[in-house]
Amino acid sequence: MFFLLYLSGLAQKPQVGVIGELDLALDSETAPPNSMGSSFQYCEDRKAIAYFNRLTKAIKYFDAKTGKGVGQTQFAKQGPDDIGPDPYYFHYHNKDSIFILSRGTNFSMFLMNSEGKKLNTFHYSSDDYSKVRYPSASTLFGALVVRSPFVYIGLEISDKGSQNSMAPIIKLNMDTDTFSYLSDPLPYQNIDLQTTVWNNFYYFYNSRIAENTKNGDLIVSFPLDHNVYRIRGNNTEKLDGKSEAIGDFHFLRRKRSETYDPNNIDVRSIGTSSAWYYGVIYNPYLDQYYRIGMAEKGMDTYKRRLAGEEVYDPVQYSVTVYDSEFNKIADGIIHGREVLFARGIFVTPDGLCGPQHSLKGEDIMGISIIGLKK
């Protein structure tokens, strides 16, 4: 009897997996997502998925149930409403508030509306980078949290310890166009940063912020840290955020110099094999957090492939689901053939979402929906 009850308990334990999919109908101008930049977001007021098409500097909207195109916001490529030469991150707050980050604008953030009109420009450049790295915002997701009149901006962590004396998070006041850095949480306090890889492996340094829109918590995640950090009011608390599939992080055996060859075989081996976390994202419709990570690959895979050997070592993602107090609900592995989180991470009322690995023809982009299966 006990054994049957035990098996019954196992059967009822929630499992993480693909629970659905949605096909987005693309037009002739819309290209698949690029890895450098945010790509998708669910828009509550439109009941639509917003997709930033970098090819045309436009946000395309797709019905969240049917996948059909339902309009776009076209941004100007020059003139007073220009959003800069290289827009790489957008945050859709509502129809009248779309925030854009763009490279080549001296660390400016643009506030736009759905007609593509520029409503305001905010600035977050500093005169002193001795204690902080230059404020390059993280990419893909989790770089902006809007709590009017404040905007929180998650930045890249520095690979120099002296530049990590403050949290890599800016709090910008839109009323005064002034900003400050948060004092906590400090990143990578127990890591010798001279044993990490840098340059092309920016994903080891993207800090990301998730906002619980129901209780006001902010959850901060760093790629090479199993813990996460909850900012609740004026207090910062360290929480266990370890995913079962994320094992040891890989580091260089010898400290690297300040400058080094990014094509160094040892550097490339670690950069392509180490586990790391993308970050945490909150789903307000299910009142759940997801922590997404890249599972560890073989340390010798890169060298073996470089030597011409065919090695089966597929991309696998870790997805861990937490409740609103960040208590773990379930852990899971999602195979890279089912979703490509490197090209987009967002949530809808149905679950955690990401684009599929390849287009289903020239005019269809598949979206996988990840959630709890029983």
Side-chain angles (χ1 to χ4, degrees):
M1 178 64 71
F2 174 80
F3 182 68
L4 291 177
L5 290 173
Y6 174 75
L7 289 178
S8 176
L10 285 179
Q12 295 179 13
K13 184 178 179 180
Q15 304 292 318
V16 179
V18 177
I19 58 174
E21 64 177 9
L22 176 68
D23 290 338
L24 304 185
L26 306 182
D27 58 29
S28 60
E29 295 182 330
T30 306
N34 183 286
S35 61
M36 291 292 291
S38 62
S39 303
F40 302 90
Q41 190 181 336
Y42 178 74
C43 308
E44 170 64 30
D45 58 354
R46 294 176 179 268
K47 301 296 186 285
I49 294 170
Y51 168 62
F52 186 64
N53 183 32
R54 300 184 75 190
L55 191 66
T56 59
K57 283 191 179 180
I59 294 178
K60 302 281 188 174
Y61 302 103
F62 300 89
D63 184 277
K65 292 298 182 183
T66 67
K68 294 181 179 179
V70 290
Q72 71 172 4
T73 295
Q74 178 65 60
F75 298 110
K77 298 179 182 179
Q78 58 185 358
D81 296 318
D82 178 28
I83 58 172
D86 187 17
Y88 68 94
Y89 194 94
F90 84 98
H91 174 79
Y92 183 101
H93 194 58
N94 54 48
K95 292 181 179 179
D96 298 317
S97 299
I98 302 172
F99 296 85
I100 301 287
L101 299 177
S102 181
R103 297 183 181 88
T105 60
N106 194 26
F107 306 114
S108 297
M109 178 177 68
F110 304 118
L111 175 60
M112 315 293 291
N113 65 16
S114 292
E115 285 71 50
K117 298 296 182 181
K118 187 181 295 181
L119 306 179
N120 213 332
T121 301
F122 306 101
H123 308 87
Y124 55 97
S125 62
S126 176
D127 296 326
D128 181 8
Y129 294 121
S130 62
K131 294 183 179 180
V132 293
R133 185 176 182 270
Y134 68 89
S136 178
S138 297
T139 59
L140 199 67
F141 77 105
L144 289 181
V145 167
V146 178
R147 287 181 177 173
S148 187
F150 300 108
V151 176
Y152 295 84
I153 307 175
L155 307 175
E156 288 185 358
I157 302 162
S158 177
D159 67 332
K160 298 179 181 179
S162 61
Q163 291 182 320
N164 290 325
S165 60
M166 289 181 279
I169 300 169
I170 281 175
K171 183 179 182 181
L172 187 151
N173 188 327
M174 291 186 287
D175 286 344
T176 61
D177 194 18
T178 59
F179 71 93
S180 60
Y181 284 81
L182 299 190
S183 57
D184 288 303
L186 297 180
Y188 297 169
Q189 295 302 288
N190 298 316
I191 295 177
D192 183 345
L193 291 171
Q194 292 307 107
T195 63
T196 60
V197 296
W198 182 242
N199 218 330
N200 294 331
F201 304 104
Y202 61 91
Y203 42 76
F204 290 143
Y205 294 86
N206 277 331
S207 66
R208 293 199 168 92
I209 320 167
E211 179 191 24
N212 186 320
T213 53
K214 295 183 182 298
N215 65 17
D217 287 349
L218 295 179
I219 300 291
V220 180
S221 174
F222 303 133
L224 301 179
D225 191 340
H226 291 302
N227 299 308
V228 299
Y229 301 86
R230 178 168 60 197
I231 301 174
R232 178 173 285 178
N234 295 321
N235 299 316
T236 300
E237 179 184 5
K238 182 167 65 175
L239 305 175
D240 181 12
K242 189 180 188 314
S243 300
E244 291 180 6
I246 304 297
D248 294 332
F249 305 120
H250 297 170
F251 299 100
L252 294 169
R253 295 179 181 178
R254 298 179 181 178
K255 292 185 180 182
R256 60 174 169 78
S257 59
E258 288 296 318
T259 58
Y260 66 97
D261 180 4
N263 295 316
N264 178 284
I265 292 178
D266 290 332
V267 171
R268 299 291 301 181
S269 294
I270 290 175
T272 57
S273 67
S274 178
W276 48 277
Y277 294 101
Y278 278 99
V280 174
I281 190 169
Y282 175 69
N283 190 328
Y285 310 102
L286 302 174
D287 200 18
Q288 295 173 345
Y289 294 100
Y290 310 98
R291 193 175 199 192
I292 305 100
M294 176 68 75
E296 179 182 0
K297 299 178 73 175
M299 286 194 69
D300 63 345
T301 295
Y302 176 78
K303 294 179 181 178
R304 291 167 63 190
R305 287 175 173 168
L306 195 65
E309 184 178 348
E310 291 188 12
V311 182
Y312 181 73
D313 194 359
V315 169
Q316 296 187 97
Y317 300 104
S318 165
V319 175
T320 307
V321 184
Y322 299 86
D323 66 17
S324 60
E325 287 297 314
F326 221 80
N327 299 304
K328 185 184 291 188
I329 298 174
D331 250 315
I333 288 286
I334 307 297
H335 199 285
R337 63 173 174 266
E338 296 181 298
V339 67
L340 190 61
F341 281 134
R343 297 294 186 266
I345 295 174
F346 65 107
V347 297
T348 71
D350 296 317
L352 173 69
C353 300
Q356 293 174 354
H357 192 271
S358 59
L359 293 176
K360 299 178 176 179
E362 295 182 355
D363 56 353
I364 297 293
M365 179 163 57
I367 301 293
S368 290
I369 304 169
I370 314 297
L372 297 176
K373 302 195 301 185
K374 292 187 177 180

